[in-house]
């Protein structure tokens, strides 16, 4: 079995303010293989963003350990890229220049970063937009720029914190397909946090459900949607396993609804027991 790329061992995280202690995470253990796509769902405020901050090294666990490639995380690392709900593009820079921001922070070789930015722009449909300003782009395109900006810095791991939640339904469906394809093609390991259960199921190899605070991982669903006859999809293509199917096609597989029901019930039980 391949070694884990991301590992959390009995991790706890408490926030301390002068007035109170908030125990966000308690005893979280997980292991993510290189190239795997994980989704995380859980009640609002349970600690999903906190978990990503721990993997990124922006937060240090109060208890336990976080490891990347077997090394304990100590601060942020170029191995990890972060994509957020809001794209944080700079309006005074054009698209091409925005794509270089992460590389500048990482002090990557400028020429190499420019080459990588141009290659990714061409490949992922932004070729004609290099000199546009972010305000001239649609919300979906802006998020694509944000993803490509993260990729220019060549991380092995992508952390995605509700990257589609500010978009309309139609855009988020098609962008999910695209982001899924880009991440698979680039062979990245991904951890996606989302409130949207169908999105979580359709994008990931495994869905992890978190409980209410102090939160832990209450269960893990291995997503297997390629097994059914219907998985070949309307275009007649088949094979390649679940990872090779687009999120849109996975939504059409019968078992999709079963996963949805199971996860929804589990989340509802957490919310009810919280209230
Ligand atoms: N910097 C901080 N200081 C104190 N408490 C914090 C801080 N950041 C988060 N918290 C608390 O920790 C808990 C977990 O927060 P977190 O943002 O990780 O949850 P979340 O699952 O991402 O929530 P949401 O679904 O709303 O995005 C919450 O109760 C939150 O109020
Ligand atoms: Mg959050």
């Amino acid at each position: 079995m391949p070694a884990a790329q991301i590992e959390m061992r009995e991790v706890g995280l408490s926030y301390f303010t002068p007035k109170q202690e908030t125990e966000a995470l308690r005893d979280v253990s997980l292991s993510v293989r290189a190239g795997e796509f994980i989704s995380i769902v859980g009640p609002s405020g349970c600690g999903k963003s906190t978990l990503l901050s721990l993997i990124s090294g922006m937060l240090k666990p109060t208890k336990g350990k976080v490891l990347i490639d077997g090394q304990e995380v100590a601060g942020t690392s170029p191995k990890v890229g972060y994509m957020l709900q809001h794209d944080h593009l700079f309006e005074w820079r054009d698209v091409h220049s925005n794509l270089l921001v992460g590389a500048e922070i990482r002090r990557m070789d400028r020429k190499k970063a420019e080459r990588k930015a141009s290659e990714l722009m061409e490949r992922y449909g932004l070729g004609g937009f290099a000199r546009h300003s972010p305000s001239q782009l649609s919300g979906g395109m802006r998020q694509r720029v944000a993803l490509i900006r993260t990729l220019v810095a060549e991380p092995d791991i992508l952390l995605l914190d509700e990257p589609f939640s500010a978009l309309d339904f139609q855009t988020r469906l098609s962008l999910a397909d695209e982001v899924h394809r880009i991440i698979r093609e680039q062979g990245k390991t991904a951890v996606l946090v989302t409130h949207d259960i169908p999105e979580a199921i359709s994008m990931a190899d495994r869905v992890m459900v978190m409980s209410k605070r102090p939160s832990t991982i209450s269960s893990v669903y291995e997503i297997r949607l390629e097994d059914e006859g219907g998985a070949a999809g309307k275009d007649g293509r088949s094979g390649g396993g679940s990872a090779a199917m687009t999120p849109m096609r996975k939504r059409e597989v019968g078992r999709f609804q079963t996963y949805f029901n199971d996860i929804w019930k589990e989340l509802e039980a957490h919310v009810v027991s919280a209230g």
Side-chain angles (χ1 to χ4, degrees):
M1 197 173 142
Q5 183 156 51
I6 308 171
E7 212 183 335
M8 298 181 86
R9 293 188 192 153
E10 293 167 12
V11 167
L13 189 285
S14 294
Y15 289 103
F16 295 95
T17 60
K19 285 206 178 132
Q20 63 176 3
E21 173 186 347
T22 305
E23 190 182 6
L25 302 178
R26 183 188 286 180
D27 200 16
V28 172
S29 293
L30 62 81
S31 171
V32 182
R33 293 184 298 276
E36 205 179 4
F37 200 126
I38 299 289
S39 293
I40 295 179
V41 294
S44 196
C46 74
K48 302 179 292 298
S49 298
T50 301
L51 192 144
L52 294 189
S53 297
L54 285 163
I55 297 173
S56 75
M58 289 192 291
L59 279 177
K60 205 171 155 344
T62 318
K63 289 200 187 99
K65 279 187 182 172
V66 182
L67 300 106
I68 305 248
D69 295 327
Q71 299 265 345
E72 193 161 354
V73 170
T76 57
S77 145
K79 285 186 178 180
V80 183
Y82 220 134
M83 184 176 166
L84 302 163
Q85 181 177 10
H86 297 289
D87 53 55
H88 300 283
L89 299 179
F90 298 120
E91 282 306 327
W92 63 89
R93 286 176 159 223
D94 63 22
V95 166
H96 184 259
S97 161
N98 262 287
L99 291 178
L100 299 174
V101 169
E104 282 167 16
I105 294 168
R106 296 260 177 254
R107 294 173 197 230
M108 260 175 88
D109 178 73
R110 174 103 192 162
K111 284 268 169 296
K112 187 179 166 203
E114 282 180 353
R115 265 201 312 276
K116 183 93 193 168
S118 301
E119 175 203 314
L120 289 168
M121 265 193 308
E122 277 307 320
R123 186 167 185 147
Y124 296 121
L126 291 166
F129 296 91
R131 299 296 158 216
H132 283 58
S133 71
S135 60
Q136 292 174 290
L137 306 181
S138 68
M141 285 175 82
R142 292 176 66 111
Q143 280 302 67
R144 229 175 327 143
V145 174
L147 174 65
I148 291 173
R149 178 177 60 187
T150 311
L151 291 173
V152 169
E154 300 191 319
D156 299 328
I157 298 168
L158 283 170
L159 306 177
L160 307 140
D161 199 349
E162 304 191 42
F164 313 123
S165 60
L167 304 170
D168 64 87
F169 185 66
Q170 213 62 37
T171 306
R172 59 190 293 170
L173 277 185
S174 58
L175 192 66
D177 265 17
E178 242 180 293
V179 167
H180 180 267
R181 178 171 67 91
I182 295 171
I183 289 175
R184 297 289 190 191
E185 270 180 19
Q186 300 283 323
K188 305 295 179 191
T189 308
V191 182
L192 167 75
V193 162
T194 176
H195 278 111
D196 184 323
I197 303 172
E199 187 174 286
I201 300 167
S202 67
M203 304 268 296
D205 301 308
R206 286 189 289 158
V207 176
M208 299 187 179
V209 181
M210 293 179 73
S211 62
K212 68 181 161 83
R213 212 164 45 77
S215 182
T216 194
I217 292 168
S218 58
S219 56
V220 179
Y221 293 81
E222 187 98 30
I223 307 298
R224 292 184 182 279
L225 290 168
E226 75 281 25
D227 299 335
E228 293 185 6
K234 288 179 183 141
D235 57 6
R237 283 191 295 147
S238 65
S242 199
M245 286 168 65
T246 67
M248 201 86 88
R249 271 172 67 201
K250 288 196 217 170
R251 288 171 188 254
E252 295 168 7
V253 178
R255 264 186 69 72
F256 191 90
Q257 192 60 36
T258 314
Y259 286 122
F260 177 87
N261 292 343
D262 291 350
I263 293 170
W264 189 77
K265 269 188 219 135
E266 186 172 338
L267 275 176
E268 188 165 71
H270 289 318
V271 173
V272 168
S273 68

